[in-house]
Amino acid sequence: MADQLPDLIEEIVAEGMAEDPASLLAALNGQDDVYIATLLESLPVEPRLVVWEGIPREQKLNVLVEMRSDPREILIDNTPHNEWASIFADIYADDLLELLDSLPKRLVDLAYESLDSKERKYFREASLFPDNQIGHWVNHEQLVLPSNAKVREALRLLKKDVPQHCDSIYLVNRTGQFTALVKINKLFSAEEDKSLLALAEENITTFKGEDDAMNASITVQRSGLASLPVVDENNTLLGRLDITSASELVNEFYERQVMASAGMDEDEDLFSPVAKSAKNRALWLGINLLTAFMASWFIGLFEGTLQQVVALAVLMPVVASMGGIAGSQTLTLIVRGLALGQVTPANIKALMIKELKVGGVNGVIWALVIGIVAYFWFTDIMLGVVICLAILFNIVAAALAGVFVPIILDKLKIDPALSGSVILTTVTDIVGFVAFLGLGTLFLL
Amino acid sequence: MADQLPDLIEEIVAEGMAEDPASLLAALNGQDDVYIATLLESLPVEPRLVVWEGIPREQKLNVLVEMRSDPREILIDNTPHNEWASIFADIYADDLLELLDSLPKRLVDLAYESLDSKERKYFREASLFPDNQIGHWVNHEQLVLPSNAKVREALRLLKKDVPQHCDSIYLVNRTGQFTALVKINKLFSAEEDKSLLALAEENITTFKGEDDAMNASITVQRSGLASLPVVDENNTLLGRLDITSASELVNEFYERQVMASAGMDEDEDLFSPVAKSAKNRALWLGINLLTAFMASWFIGLFEGTLQQVVALAVLMPVVASMGGIAGSQTLTLIVRGLALGQVTPANIKALMIKELKVGGVNGVIWALVIGIVAYFWFTDIMLGVVICLAILFNIVAAALAGVFVPIILDKLKIDPALSGSVILTTVTDIVGFVAFLGLGTLFLL
């Protein structure tokens, strides 16, 4: 199915299918929500709006739910107001939670009115948690039986509707506290009057609403179960975190990391309006400009030296680049370790020693290589010595910064995947330039 | 559970629990494979080997399977040869496939001998596919019935052992071709003599062995099913791709992207031996050194200009930095679009126009800001004009390179997540320096 997508994009964008509503409708007919959502995200704004108009009204809500916020907001802004009542006709609390940040206040109110009283309660409860906690993502459809129930009752329960992603029955005591989980697959071979508790799984992880969404999601992915229970502080069963939500949360986490490295967020639209896109990116450019000016200011301290030894200016990018690359390698390793819970106060010292040794080895090797190249290029032995020392110094400093910058940011609750690289590069640029030009001033004038 | 991990790392590393085997064993007792695997990856090599010795032999295989290659290889190298027969006692084909790249040839042979004839066949079949195709990851445990079977037969089949991550029964015709999928949850409310075909799901995606592992895995994650069927070119059922494998493949894909941005692979060990780690990273440093020397060479063409206008040397990092950042923003967006199949030949032109406009807007704004700052800093109006033009030119060139570098790399089957940033930075550095110093030569001498 994914293979057809580029063809359809081609037909719409290059061959003008958007101007032929009949063939467009035929191409979209029967395609699932994810396919259509991906198609819409791949289209420039104009054909995107044409395709959006052609999607059956009853499918529009599910397509919006599958999309990233930025491309979705363009569609929301261009949907006639009289369509919304029918789009929201079958909305559930989890749909509204997913769309919450994209909808203007009046549409949130309209959607909220379409929820029944149970769904309104779920919506209000989930809204109390930020979206990095699993309380925000609780699935409330589940199979529940009292702890003393027998297999017979479970089989009777299963004759009613079984929710999606549901491979287990949760047992609760009289006050609603979670006691055990029984896999549905175990019921087939069990005697009808056997107690369900006797079939319960051992060592089931339960989550609290405040638990970190990313860690909990990875636990669900690795559990071998379709979902794990969520309880409150009294162990009362609230719902469950299912594997589909868990996978979406993990994928979003990773996508955020990848996009953050360039100062963008994971909702960035391939075809967002120029003004919006330019604004989104301007902040990051501005921050980097400040750090670049800082580096320039330090270089400016050595204007006199640069004037006399112009080779220093020629070689400056080499010093900065080697420090930046070596530091970003350490940084990337530590950021991953922090995200996976593998970097802790207990092993920082051991990590730092190892990174310093790695930096030392690579520092010595590349410092010598660069020193020799610089010597032959400018036939100046002292210039070779100066750049050799500066590179060694900068690569070792980069290793230190690569360990400490993310750990300090993490302590300050700042995402090291977003801010780590800009701070690290500032450190390695300034250390590199000052070391190189400072040593140059000492030895070359 | 994840919360206890930092405490245990602390006790082992800082409080010397590794020297007290009894308390160490007590702490590990009953922990699952993933927990122990994560613990081992978080420990420096010495305590890691002590903990490894303390793990029950029957758990060692499953722990190895859960680990990344690099940290795992240290354990494999330090396991006494006479332990392997018992570690491999209950090995399956998929365990051996996972460990394949980490085991020396003689251990692969030993493990292969422990497989029964059916598992040996699965292993040989899977080995024919590279690990980026799903043929490598097929799960062969499934529930299969003939297409004309009734609910009664399905219920009888379910009384036997139901495999993990299995929520469906696959129907095949007489020649073994896949015909339909029936969700187990639908059987409870069905009449015993109803035909299974009548309960089958519609629009089930099937995979071929050659299908891309990442795309197929995302399809499984979004299917709402615990697995989807894999067939051969004649539609004969081979097995299935289950949600646990799918999630692992997707997570590995993303982790590879994050690590690739710093020229590392996702198996990099937090505590790999210094020599190995230094070697892994040296290549990336070397490649970047070449590009830095290229940039230096271009700067060297303007030695005369730099000697006379030293302010140009001071401001060089600003020009390079703004181009690099702007380009990496476009690059990151395009690399994600390529990975998701959203960037295709049909929309490249529209994308390029949009990125050029965004680059134009941010280029004009920041060029003016930088030009004004440079004018006041060096009180030289022409210097302000020169850097203003150079920044504008470089940011627009960066947008072009950000679109074309990843698309060309993708066409050449080179991973743009790995090589994109280094090539892009080379382009923006050289364009930036040549524009800035070239304009400086024209207008400032």
Side-chain angles (χ1 to χ4, degrees):
Chain A
M1 217 165 56
D3 295 333
Q4 309 163 10
L5 188 61
D7 297 340
L8 186 53
I9 297 173
E10 169 93 35
E11 283 170 37
I12 293 173
V13 177
E15 295 162 26
M17 192 199 257
E19 282 138 48
D20 176 8
S23 68
L24 184 61
L25 277 181
L28 296 177
N29 183 28
Q31 295 293 0
D32 66 28
D33 309 327
V34 173
Y35 182 90
I36 294 180
T38 312
L39 171 69
L40 288 167
E41 291 186 356
S42 312
L43 293 176
V45 174
E46 225 172 299
R48 184 188 293 172
L49 292 174
V50 176
V51 171
W52 175 240
E53 259 185 69
I55 295 167
R57 214 174 275 191
E58 60 277 14
Q59 197 177 9
K60 281 190 171 175
L61 179 70
N62 293 332
V63 169
L64 285 180
V65 166
E66 293 295 341
M67 290 180 72
R68 291 184 175 73
S69 322
D70 281 8
R72 151 165 96 197
E73 279 158 25
I74 291 178
L75 301 183
I76 290 173
D77 292 345
N78 284 280
T79 303
H81 190 63
N82 58 20
E83 269 194 33
W84 284 107
S86 59
I87 292 177
F88 288 151
D90 294 316
I91 194 167
Y92 284 92
D94 56 345
D95 300 326
L96 182 52
L97 285 163
E98 175 65 43
L99 297 180
L100 200 54
D101 291 336
S102 304
L103 292 173
K105 174 86 175 59
R106 60 181 175 80
L107 286 182
V108 173
D109 294 341
L110 184 67
Y112 183 78
E113 280 166 31
S114 306
L115 299 176
D116 66 24
S117 66
K118 204 177 62 182
E119 291 289 318
R120 286 184 189 183
K121 179 168 159 276
Y122 294 154
F123 175 76
R124 288 193 307 268
E125 282 171 5
S127 310
L128 299 176
F129 296 95
D131 62 5
N132 62 353
Q133 295 183 354
I134 51 174
H136 198 85
W137 305 105
V138 173
N139 181 335
H140 293 279
E141 292 183 275
Q142 56 232 325
L143 300 172
V144 181
L145 283 175
S147 298
N148 60 1
K150 298 211 185 324
V151 170
R152 186 180 306 114
E153 290 154 76
L155 292 172
R156 208 179 303 140
L157 179 67
L158 290 166
K159 290 203 174 161
K160 297 179 203 158
D161 210 20
V162 180
Q164 266 223 316
H165 324 298
C166 185
D167 60 359
S168 318
I169 293 174
Y170 295 164
L171 303 184
V172 296
N173 66 15
R174 282 179 200 185
T175 51
Q177 289 167 308
F178 173 81
T179 55
L181 178 156
V182 179
K183 280 169 131 175
I184 292 175
N185 284 347
K186 282 207 172 169
L187 299 173
F188 298 102
S189 51
E191 305 286 326
E192 291 226 333
D193 60 352
K194 189 160 189 173
S195 146
L196 284 177
L197 264 183
L199 299 173
E201 299 296 308
E202 281 173 27
N203 293 323
I204 288 299
T205 307
T206 60
F207 304 121
K208 299 265 188 296
E210 298 77 28
D211 283 355
D212 177 69
M214 168 68 179
N215 286 333
S217 297
I218 287 189
T219 306
V220 171
Q221 285 189 335
R222 286 172 158 177
S223 68
L225 292 166
S227 58
L228 286 174
V230 181
V231 298
D232 70 8
E233 64 281 7
N234 299 316
N235 207 32
T236 305
L237 182 65
L238 296 179
R240 57 205 183 95
L241 181 63
D242 68 57
I243 180 90
T244 301
S245 302
S247 297
E248 272 173 25
L249 286 167
V250 172
N251 295 358
E252 262 175 39
F253 169 87
Y254 278 116
E255 224 180 81
R256 200 155 50 234
Q257 265 209 317
V258 172
M259 298 297 278
S261 67
M264 294 190 281
D265 70 40
E266 80 278 17
D267 285 317
E268 176 88 14
D269 183 354
L270 211 46
F271 287 105
S272 61
V274 171
K276 182 170 181 181
S277 183
K279 201 181 116 204
N280 279 348
R281 301 190 200 173
L283 177 67
W284 192 243
L285 284 162
I287 293 172
N288 276 279
L289 178 60
L290 281 181
T291 71
F293 269 132
M294 274 173 64
S296 286
W297 186 82
F298 278 97
I299 297 172
L301 299 178
F302 300 95
E303 265 189 54
T305 310
L306 283 168
Q307 207 142 26
Q308 292 177 58
V309 194
V310 76
L312 291 172
V314 172
L315 290 170
M316 282 193 320
V318 174
V319 180
S321 162
M322 293 304 276
I325 295 293
S328 79
Q329 292 185 321
T330 303
L331 177 83
T332 305
L333 196 68
I334 304 290
V335 168
R336 183 185 70 170
L338 285 167
L340 299 174
Q342 296 186 324
V343 171
T344 77
N347 58 14
I348 289 177
K349 201 180 135 200
L351 260 175
M352 204 193 64
I353 292 171
K354 176 219 151 198
E355 288 298 320
L356 280 177
K357 283 184 188 165
V358 174
V361 171
N362 268 320
V364 167
I365 292 171
W366 294 110
L368 286 174
V369 169
I370 294 166
I372 290 166
V373 171
Y375 162 65
F376 280 107
W377 187 349
F378 295 94
T379 52
D380 180 342
I381 184 102
M382 275 317 283
L383 179 68
V385 171
V386 163
I387 197 167
C388 177
L389 290 175
I391 292 278
L392 177 59
F393 190 73
N394 201 19
I395 288 185
V396 171
L400 273 177
V403 173
F404 282 112
V405 165
I407 287 173
I408 292 168
L409 287 174
D410 192 60
K411 281 247 158 115
L412 299 173
K413 309 260 176 226
I414 299 170
D415 181 9
L418 175 61
S419 328
S421 68
V422 60
I423 297 179
L424 178 97
T425 319
T426 311
V427 172
T428 55
D429 275 2
I430 293 176
V431 168
F433 291 139
V434 170
F436 185 43
L437 300 178
L439 288 167
T441 308
L442 284 178
F443 293 111
L444 299 177
L445 292 191
Chain B
M1 215 166 60
D3 296 332
Q4 309 162 11
L5 187 62
D7 298 340
L8 185 54
I9 297 172
E10 170 91 37
E11 283 171 38
I12 292 173
V13 176
E15 294 163 28
M17 192 198 256
E19 281 136 49
D20 177 6
S23 67
L24 184 62
L25 276 181
L28 297 177
N29 185 26
Q31 295 292 1
D32 66 30
D33 309 327
V34 173
Y35 183 90
I36 294 181
T38 312
L39 172 68
L40 287 167
E41 291 185 357
S42 312
L43 292 175
V45 174
E46 225 171 298
R48 182 188 293 173
L49 292 174
V50 176
V51 170
W52 176 240
E53 259 185 69
I55 294 168
R57 214 173 277 193
E58 59 277 14
Q59 198 176 9
K60 282 190 171 175
L61 179 70
N62 293 331
V63 169
L64 285 179
V65 166
E66 294 293 341
M67 291 180 72
R68 291 183 175 74
S69 322
D70 280 9
R72 153 165 97 196
E73 280 159 23
I74 292 178
L75 301 182
I76 289 173
D77 292 344
N78 284 279
T79 303
H81 191 64
N82 58 20
E83 269 194 31
W84 285 107
S86 60
I87 291 177
F88 288 151
D90 294 315
I91 193 167
Y92 284 92
D94 56 345
D95 300 326
L96 182 52
L97 285 163
E98 175 65 44
L99 297 180
L100 201 53
D101 291 336
S102 305
L103 292 174
K105 175 84 175 62
R106 60 180 176 77
L107 288 181
V108 173
D109 295 342
L110 185 66
Y112 185 78
E113 280 165 31
S114 307
L115 300 175
D116 66 24
S117 65
K118 203 177 60 181
E119 290 289 319
R120 285 183 191 184
K121 179 166 159 279
Y122 294 154
F123 175 76
R124 285 193 308 267
E125 282 170 6
S127 310
L128 299 177
F129 294 95
D131 61 5
N132 62 354
Q133 296 184 353
I134 51 174
H136 197 86
W137 305 104
V138 174
N139 181 335
H140 293 279
E141 292 184 276
Q142 57 230 326
L143 300 173
V144 181
L145 283 175
S147 298
N148 59 2
K150 299 209 184 322
V151 170
R152 186 180 303 114
E153 288 154 77
L155 292 173
R156 207 179 302 141
L157 179 68
L158 289 166
K159 292 205 170 154
K160 296 179 201 156
D161 210 19
V162 180
Q164 265 222 315
H165 323 297
C166 185
D167 60 359
S168 318
I169 293 174
Y170 294 164
L171 303 184
V172 296
N173 66 15
R174 282 182 198 183
T175 50
Q177 287 165 309
F178 173 80
T179 55
L181 178 155
V182 179
K183 277 169 133 178
I184 291 174
N185 284 347
K186 283 209 173 168
L187 298 174
F188 298 102
S189 51
E191 305 287 322
E192 290 226 332
D193 60 353
K194 189 160 188 172
S195 147
L196 286 177
L197 264 183
L199 300 172
E201 299 296 309
E202 282 173 27
N203 292 325
I204 289 299
T205 306
T206 59
F207 303 122
K208 299 263 187 300
E210 299 77 26
D211 282 355
D212 177 68
M214 168 68 180
N215 286 332
S217 298
I218 287 189
T219 306
V220 171
Q221 284 189 336
R222 287 172 156 176
S223 68
L225 292 166
S227 57
L228 286 175
V230 182
V231 298
D232 70 8
E233 65 280 6
N234 299 318
N235 206 33
T236 305
L237 182 65
L238 296 177
R240 56 204 184 96
L241 181 63
D242 68 57
I243 181 88
T244 302
S245 302
S247 297
E248 271 173 26
L249 286 167
V250 172
N251 296 358
E252 260 174 42
F253 169 85
Y254 278 117
E255 223 179 84
R256 197 155 52 232
Q257 264 208 317
V258 172
M259 297 298 277
S261 67
M264 294 190 283
D265 70 43
E266 81 276 16
D267 285 317
E268 177 87 15
D269 183 354
L270 212 46
F271 287 106
S272 60
V274 172
K276 182 170 180 182
S277 184
K279 201 180 116 206
N280 280 347
R281 300 188 200 174
L283 176 66
W284 194 241
L285 284 162
I287 292 171
N288 276 279
L289 178 59
L290 280 181
T291 72
F293 269 132
M294 273 171 66
S296 287
W297 186 81
F298 278 97
I299 297 173
L301 299 179
F302 300 94
E303 265 190 55
T305 309
L306 283 168
Q307 207 142 23
Q308 292 177 59
V309 194
V310 76
L312 291 173
V314 172
L315 290 171
M316 282 193 321
V318 174
V319 181
S321 162
M322 292 304 275
I325 296 292
S328 79
Q329 293 185 321
T330 303
L331 176 83
T332 305
L333 195 68
I334 304 289
V335 168
R336 183 184 68 169
L338 284 169
L340 299 174
Q342 297 186 324
V343 172
T344 76
N347 58 15
I348 289 178
K349 201 180 135 202
L351 259 175
M352 205 192 65
I353 292 170
K354 176 219 151 197
E355 287 299 319
L356 279 178
K357 285 183 187 165
V358 174
V361 171
N362 267 320
V364 168
I365 293 171
W366 293 111
L368 288 173
V369 170
I370 294 165
I372 291 167
V373 172
Y375 162 64
F376 281 107
W377 187 348
F378 294 96
T379 51
D380 181 341
I381 184 99
M382 276 317 282
L383 179 68
V385 172
V386 162
I387 196 166
C388 178
L389 291 174
I391 293 276
L392 178 60
F393 189 74
N394 201 19
I395 288 185
V396 172
L400 274 178
V403 173
F404 282 113
V405 166
I407 287 173
I408 292 168
L409 288 174
D410 192 60
K411 281 247 159 115
L412 300 173
K413 308 260 175 225
I414 299 170
D415 181 8
L418 175 61
S419 327
S421 68
V422 59
I423 297 179
L424 179 98
T425 320
T426 310
V427 172
T428 55
D429 276 2
I430 293 176
V431 168
F433 291 140
V434 170
F436 185 44
L437 300 178
L439 288 167
T441 308
L442 284 177
F443 293 110
L444 299 175
L445 292 192

